[in-house]
Amino acid sequence: MKSLLILILIFGLNCKTKNEDCRTNNSCPIFYPKLAVEVFDTTGKLQDWYITSGQKIILLTSKEGKRKKVQFDEYFLPLEKILYKDKEFFIPTNLITLGDIVRVANPEGIKIKESPNDESKNIGEIPFNTKVEIFSHQERIDKKESKYYKVKSPDGFSNYGWVKISDLSDGDYDASLFQKKISELLKDVTIEFTELVENHGIKIKSLPGELYKPSCTINGKECYASTYIKDEMDYNKVIPYLMYDILLTPEFRAASSDFYCKLNHIELATQFQFMENNIFNGHISCESLNED
């Protein structure tokens, strides 16, 4: 009898939870993680398995779409409740690939769709360069990358609906910079880069029109830099990077540089919009190639 009462109580609590979250009105956002995700059960116990990248995860928000973070004493990062293979778990908030702020990159603005397909009804419009928050991914079919995101305004639920991913920027910066190549952005400006984390004291400079003729110093001493722009794969997406190879001496060595510094297009464009007096004072990540 006692066991039966416990089961009834648990069932009642589960029903109450479901009646209070997005499952009630079938509005739960979904996403596909870029990395393997560590998992906690509903008591906060870390599991000995991971959700692998690219798996469908349902984020359990309120009926109104609001996210709720919790924290267990044993784990210092905030967690959020999800549904994975019809079971409830918690995962770290920082591994949830929703909530990013991007901008409308189509100069003509975009249509908001009722459903994630081209034939769906238009239910609104969003002007060029407007900020939107990624609320949900589109359900994938046959593991193919989706074409649509469900978005909303960052401070509420206006501009709520499905839009084409191709019409959005890849970060929260002036969308007029989105289609411009790194070389185009930097060709006519003075560049003054300092190391993001000043472990080595690296500074890199170049004059307008001399992107490929940089000078550099390390803790005030002259070094020798060369510039190149290279595409790299980042979570199955091609991202352009501005890179510098740095030598401590002027002699060319085919084997290796002493340092390399890199900044991707998203990071560069985000910093670039705050440029003043045609001088780009930016921060760049650098690593030593000779440290153990």
Side-chain angles (χ1 to χ4, degrees):
M1 184 66 179
K2 185 176 180 181
S3 298
L4 179 60
L5 288 173
I6 292 173
L7 287 173
I8 292 172
L9 179 61
I10 292 172
F11 178 77
L13 288 172
N14 285 337
C15 289
K16 184 175 185 294
T17 300
K18 290 180 181 179
N19 287 334
E20 293 176 349
D21 67 28
C22 54
R23 286 172 284 188
T24 305
N25 53 4
N26 196 29
S27 63
C28 298
I30 65 170
F31 68 99
Y32 298 84
K34 296 177 180 179
L35 301 171
V37 177
E38 55 188 349
V39 180
F40 298 77
D41 68 16
T42 53
T43 68
K45 182 181 178 182
L46 180 63
Q47 303 298 287
D48 59 359
W49 54 275
Y50 290 82
I51 299 175
T52 56
S53 62
Q55 297 294 306
K56 176 184 173 181
I57 298 176
I58 299 172
L59 182 62
L60 295 178
T61 66
S62 70
K63 288 187 292 187
E64 296 76 28
K66 294 180 179 179
R67 294 168 61 172
K68 182 179 180 181
K69 299 176 184 178
V70 300
Q71 200 155 356
F72 294 107
D73 292 338
E74 297 81 6
Y75 193 74
F76 63 94
L77 290 176
L79 307 172
E80 294 185 50
K81 186 180 285 188
I82 59 131
L83 200 66
Y84 178 66
K85 294 185 176 180
D86 296 324
K87 293 184 179 180
E88 292 183 5
F89 299 99
F90 285 98
I91 65 171
T93 293
N94 65 327
L95 295 177
I96 297 173
T97 53
L98 298 174
D100 289 346
I101 306 298
V102 295
R103 300 202 191 190
V104 174
N106 188 328
E108 298 179 357
I110 57 176
K111 306 290 186 183
I112 305 173
K113 295 284 188 178
E114 189 174 46
S115 302
N117 63 75
D118 295 347
E119 290 74 32
S120 176
K121 177 183 176 183
N122 294 330
I123 57 174
E125 297 181 3
I126 311 178
F128 172 69
N129 210 29
T130 302
K131 293 185 179 186
V132 293
E133 178 183 327
I134 298 172
F135 180 74
S136 178
H137 293 179
Q138 179 187 1
E139 184 98 30
R140 291 180 182 175
I141 300 174
D142 297 329
K143 297 184 179 180
K144 293 181 180 179
E145 291 287 333
S146 53
K147 293 172 55 180
Y148 282 83
Y149 281 148
K150 180 175 275 189
V151 301
K152 69 180 192 68
S153 58
D155 55 356
F157 277 84
S158 59
N159 291 334
Y160 182 64
W162 295 95
V163 301
K164 285 187 176 181
I165 297 173
S166 58
D167 286 331
L168 301 174
S169 71
D170 50 8
D172 182 14
Y173 56 82
D174 188 332
S176 64
L177 306 176
F178 176 57
Q179 299 293 349
K180 291 186 177 181
K181 296 181 179 179
I182 290 175
S183 57
E184 185 181 0
L185 287 172
L186 299 178
K187 66 178 181 179
D188 295 321
V189 303
T190 297
I191 298 170
E192 297 182 356
F193 279 127
T194 54
E195 194 177 0
L196 182 61
V197 180
E198 297 184 6
N199 292 332
H200 313 103
I202 296 173
K203 293 185 178 181
I204 302 168
K205 296 183 179 181
S206 63
L207 297 174
E210 297 187 354
L211 174 63
Y212 292 93
K213 297 179 181 179
S215 62
C216 72
T217 58
I218 299 178
N219 290 323
K221 295 183 179 180
E222 184 180 17
C223 56
Y224 305 87
S226 56
T227 308
Y228 59 103
I229 296 170
K230 179 182 177 183
D231 289 339
E232 291 194 351
M233 292 298 295
D234 190 1
Y235 302 121
N236 297 319
K237 186 176 181 181
V238 177
I239 304 290
Y241 277 82
L242 172 67
M243 297 185 174
Y244 294 93
D245 279 336
I246 296 177
L247 296 170
L248 297 176
T249 60
E251 291 82 14
F252 174 75
R253 298 194 305 276
S256 175
S257 303
D258 294 299
F259 298 89
Y260 79 92
C261 302
K262 61 191 292 188
L263 186 72
N264 69 36
H265 183 275
I266 302 170
E267 297 163 337
L268 190 150
T270 301
Q271 296 183 51
F272 190 87
Q273 62 188 337
F274 302 111
M275 181 179 64
E276 295 181 352
N277 301 319
N278 215 41
I279 299 174
F280 180 30
N281 287 297
H283 291 90
I284 192 166
S285 298
C286 299
E287 290 187 25
S288 171
L289 297 175
N290 296 321
E291 292 178 352
D292 294 332

